[in-house]
Amino acid sequence: MKIFSLTLFIAFIHCQLFCQVDGQEIDKVIKLDGKISVSQDSERWLKISVPFLINEHPDLLNMQGKRPETIEEMFNPLFLNNLKIRIWISFLNEFKRKEFRGDRKDVRYFDYYSAEIECLSIEIDRKTKKAEFLFPATIAKKCELGNYPKLTGYVLEFSRNGETFEVSDQTSFLNYDKDEYLEKYRMEALNKSSSNEGILIPGYTINDIYLKDLGPVLRK
């Protein structure tokens, strides 16, 4: 069994080389598989869902066809360990905007939130995974987000052991598509979400049903 496993592992590496290109370009390791959505999950929670696919194991790409030389270098190419999924989101605070009769695109009326899920081991099976986060319905009501809340923007980050995997559409801000506007929004989201820490939470903290295909997670 051990010989078969090692043979399969090496064969898997060589198979990957035929498809490999120089560098790890956007969507090479992970890509979004649909739009980030906001839905009414229950009377208590809104649900933010992030659908994604794992295309390649990054260690296979980094090894460039070399075989493992030590036990420490050995890994199962069908599972990815320690994948962090971090999201920053923003909503337009309608209560504040209406009080000051502000413009809906005025970022001064945006409220920012963030949360993170760390998957201890997730299977690479080309099936759509969903990282699901929960937002309190009471906060949504207080900010007058309405019956069908919409994000004014989001920032996504997929990383592992300090390595970040670039994905398409990982930053979205209203209808803007210029890099300078997206980068400015990204910095606003990262800097201002800390004031609302703990409001947006990983769904599994309420119920393990939100883990679905994510496997075991690091409980914080």
Side-chain angles (χ1 to χ4, degrees):
M1 179 62 71
K2 291 183 178 179
I3 295 177
F4 175 78
S5 297
L6 181 58
T7 302
L8 177 63
F9 179 81
I10 300 302
F12 194 89
I13 291 178
H14 286 298
C15 178
Q16 295 298 313
L17 287 177
F18 287 103
C19 304
Q20 186 173 332
V21 297
D22 292 336
Q24 293 184 18
E25 69 267 25
I26 293 176
D27 296 334
K28 182 65 176 177
V29 174
I30 294 175
K31 71 175 183 179
L32 288 177
D33 191 34
K35 295 182 177 181
I36 283 80
S37 63
V38 182
S39 60
Q40 189 78 41
D41 191 60
S42 67
E43 292 183 358
R44 295 183 59 191
W45 301 103
L46 299 180
K47 181 172 68 176
I48 291 86
S49 298
V50 180
F52 67 96
L53 286 170
I54 303 177
N55 290 325
E56 305 281 358
H57 197 300
D59 287 345
L60 289 178
L61 299 175
N62 295 336
M63 290 176 67
Q64 298 182 345
K66 298 178 182 178
R67 61 173 293 167
E69 297 180 352
T70 66
I71 293 177
E72 289 74 21
E73 292 178 344
M74 195 68 180
F75 64 94
N76 188 329
L78 299 181
F79 292 84
L80 180 61
N81 296 338
N82 307 121
L83 176 66
K84 291 183 179 181
I85 307 158
R86 179 101 189 208
I87 188 171
W88 293 261
I89 63 171
S90 61
F91 288 110
L92 171 63
N93 190 316
E94 278 287 353
F95 174 77
K96 292 181 180 178
R97 185 196 69 81
K98 288 190 295 186
E99 287 295 313
F100 291 95
R101 300 180 181 179
D103 189 281
R104 291 181 179 275
K105 293 184 178 181
D106 191 333
V107 296
R108 291 179 299 174
Y109 303 111
F110 288 9
D111 290 334
Y112 300 88
Y113 309 88
S114 68
E116 178 183 274
I117 296 174
E118 181 173 353
C119 305
L120 295 176
S121 187
I122 184 170
E123 188 171 3
I124 304 175
D125 53 11
R126 300 300 178 93
K127 294 180 181 178
T128 301
K129 317 290 185 184
K130 280 189 178 181
E132 296 183 319
F133 302 86
L134 296 178
F135 185 85
T138 300
I139 303 295
K141 186 175 181 180
K142 181 188 73 170
C143 299
E144 297 186 7
L145 300 186
N147 294 326
Y148 303 97
K150 292 183 179 180
L151 297 176
T152 55
Y154 67 79
V155 178
L156 276 176
E157 183 181 88
F158 294 90
S159 65
R160 186 197 59 149
N161 301 333
E163 180 182 14
T164 300
F165 308 119
E166 299 296 324
V167 300
S168 298
D169 301 321
Q170 65 186 59
T171 302
S172 176
F173 169 46
L174 297 176
N175 294 321
Y176 296 103
D177 56 7
K178 289 186 177 181
D179 290 343
E180 58 185 298
Y181 294 133
L182 295 177
E183 177 59 19
K184 185 175 182 180
Y185 171 81
R186 188 183 75 86
M187 294 305 299
E188 286 280 299
L190 269 60
N191 292 330
K192 294 185 176 180
S193 61
S194 59
S195 61
N196 290 319
E197 186 174 353
I199 293 179
L200 181 68
I201 61 173
Y204 69 79
T205 59
I206 300 300
N207 195 315
D208 278 356
I209 193 174
Y210 295 104
L211 288 176
K212 294 183 179 178
D213 297 319
L214 297 187
V217 296
L218 180 64
R219 307 275 179 169
K220 298 181 180 180

